[in-house]
Amino acid sequence: MHLPAILGWVLVIAGVWSLAVWPQFLKRVMKDPRARDAAGKPTRFLTVHVVLVSISMVLGLATAAIGVAGLLG
């Protein structure tokens, strides 16, 4: 794949950013009182955010990998 170097770096930086930011967000969500009910079970609030973070991290990893492939190719 041919990609201008600047675009490759933008993708790598965007991917790394996602991988750095989303786990911190999830830590805050897990501490939120809305994350668990009175019995300690996960609520929909937590479930939705875990799915959101998971998808975002997969996309961040893919973005970084595409950027690296563009820089190496």
Side-chain angles (χ1 to χ4, degrees):
M1 164 180 10
H2 177 69
L3 190 66
I6 188 70
L7 294 180
W9 281 111
V10 168
L11 291 173
V12 169
I13 291 167
V16 170
W17 175 262
S18 288
L19 294 172
V21 170
W22 284 108
Q24 301 305 315
F25 176 76
L26 185 58
K27 285 181 185 178
R28 289 193 308 273
V29 167
M30 292 180 80
K31 292 179 184 176
D32 192 297
R34 297 172 288 179
R36 304 235 176 234
D37 64 14
K41 294 182 180 179
T43 62
R44 289 186 185 186
F45 173 84
L46 180 58
T47 303
V48 166
H49 283 87
V50 167
V51 171
L52 172 71
V53 169
S54 299
I55 291 169
S56 296
M57 290 189 64
V58 168
L59 291 174
L61 183 61
T63 301
I66 293 167
V68 169
L71 289 172
L72 297 177

